[in-house]
Amino acid sequence: MSIWTELDQTITLWLREARESILASLEQALDIDTKSNANDLVTNVDKETEQFFVRQIKKHYPHHKIVGEEGFGDKVHDLDGIVWIIDPIDGTMNFVHQRRNFFISIGILENGIGKLGYLYDIILDELYFAYEGHGAFLNGQSIAPLEKGRVEEAIIGFNPASIPANEAAQTMIKLMKDVRGVRSYGSAAMEFAYVATGRLDAYISLGLSPWDFAGGKIILEELGGIVTDLSGNPVKILENSSILAARPGLHEQLLKNYLRAK
Ligand code: 2AM
Ligand code: CA
């Protein structure tokens, strides 16, 4: 068994354990706090879930490095070796307000190459997973590679709160009118999972952090999806970035006709 298959089996068990404990915590009062602004929420469950993973990884894989949103991981400056990038709850606002539509998101890289990606819809118990070079799966069922798409037939994921306050806003609004539909789910992990399974054709975000996109990028790329920043440049994994994640064909069309259009 390869180290990745073995690691996957272990992570799947940890994810199930984390899910049980998140579901149990939903039966109790949440301890809710704010971070960078009044809408940037964090709860005791975000922190406890990240601590659970950090504890397990440190115990079983002490040489691996960890980047975690809530800061319980390591100070990671480079992608040498094996690096875990973890968002214990992606879609915290959904978690607090809706009690659904939130994910655990994990990406694992070896020397900068994405190897394993996990997006776990806790309420629906749907686990999206990819192993680089070996396919992507939803609850163990193989996900079909992505076919080419076109703007006129596309449903895109987009957060209207992130329409830029400059002339690019007009192009963005034109795009919203040209596509078939626009959706805003409030969880980058969910939007990546939806692009991976064809429920969305593209996802656009003006500013995400590494833990918001690491797991999703690995899964989408395994399916032939394309993930860049909004200028079409490769995403730097350890830095905040804008994100354009889309089917092939559609990705080029969005860049050429909207995002890079003058
Ligand atoms: P979170 O729930 O883990 O905070 C919502 O559009 C998406 O953007 C979610 O994935 C959310 O992740 C993320 N997000 C929310 N606030 C953010 C911020 N200040 N910087 C980067 N990503 C953010
Ligand atoms: Ca989070």
Side-chain angles (χ1 to χ4, degrees), residues 181-192:
V182 182
R183 301 289 182 270
S184 188
Y185 292 113
S187 154
M190 184 165 176
E191 315 221 34
F192 270 102

Side-chain angles (χ1 to χ4, degrees), residues 3-253:
I3 64 154
W4 301 110
T5 313
E6 202 175 306
L7 195 54
D8 170 52
Q9 290 182 355
T10 308
I11 294 167
T12 305
L13 291 176
W14 293 349
L15 284 167
R16 307 258 179 242
E17 197 175 331
R19 173 172 184 269
E20 290 304 319
S21 119
I22 293 170
L23 291 179
S25 68
L26 279 172
E27 304 291 318
Q28 290 156 14
L30 295 174
D31 180 4
I32 304 162
D33 228 330
T34 56
K35 292 195 282 189
S36 61
N37 62 66
N39 299 326
D40 188 4
L41 306 178
V42 63
T43 74
N44 56 308
V45 184
D46 299 58
K47 294 174 193 164
E48 287 158 16
T49 306
E50 182 167 313
Q51 283 170 314
F52 165 74
F53 279 101
V54 169
R55 220 170 31 239
Q56 296 287 15
I57 298 161
K58 294 277 170 211
K59 183 170 161 198
H60 296 275
Y61 306 104
H63 302 302
H64 293 188
K65 301 190 284 193
I66 308 165
V67 179
E69 174 168 18
E70 309 312 337
F72 298 105
D74 307 306
K75 288 202 174 6
V76 175
H77 304 289
D78 58 60
L79 289 169
D80 295 348
I82 295 182
V83 179
W84 296 57
I85 304 183
I86 303 178
D87 191 341
I89 300 214
D90 184 75
T92 301
M93 198 189 290
N94 292 344
F95 175 67
V96 169
H97 286 258
Q98 307 181 325
R99 310 280 165 129
R100 68 193 70 201
N101 300 333
F102 60 89
F103 283 60
I104 296 177
S105 172
I106 299 178
I108 303 178
L109 299 91
E110 184 186 41
N111 298 323
I113 310 287
K115 300 301 284 187
L116 301 176
Y118 298 84
L119 300 173
Y120 193 17
D121 184 325
I122 297 299
I123 298 300
L124 296 183
D125 194 14
E126 287 183 342
L127 178 57
Y128 303 76
F129 155 70
Y131 171 16
E132 188 235 358
H134 294 75
F137 305 85
L138 167 52
N139 281 353
Q141 300 279 334
S142 189
I143 305 174
L146 292 170
E147 293 177 1
K148 281 192 164 191
R150 299 188 305 137
V151 165
E152 313 81 80
E153 293 173 352
I155 305 183
I156 61 169
F158 182 76
N159 179 356
S162 62
I163 285 192
N166 57 28
E167 63 278 10
Q170 289 312 317
T171 325
M172 218 57 117
I173 291 165
K174 179 173 183 336
L175 170 62
M176 301 298 142
K177 291 181 173 164
D178 288 353
V179 291
R180 185 166 275 170
V182 182
R183 301 289 182 270
S184 188
Y185 292 113
S187 154
M190 184 165 176
E191 315 221 34
F192 270 102
Y194 276 30
V195 178
T197 46
R199 298 169 198 156
L200 286 176
D201 299 285
Y203 170 52
I204 293 174
S205 177
L206 266 59
L208 290 180
S209 301
W211 39 83
D212 299 319
F213 59 74
K217 181 173 183 291
I218 293 168
I219 294 176
L220 209 54
E221 289 179 342
E222 183 61 23
L223 292 163
I226 301 165
V227 183
T228 63
D229 70 12
L230 291 188
S231 306
N233 299 315
V235 172
K236 297 193 178 95
I237 298 293
L238 292 178
E239 294 178 17
N240 288 0
S241 178
S242 62
I243 290 284
L244 171 61
R247 289 179 184 280
L250 179 60
H251 186 277
E252 290 123 61
Q253 211 183 351

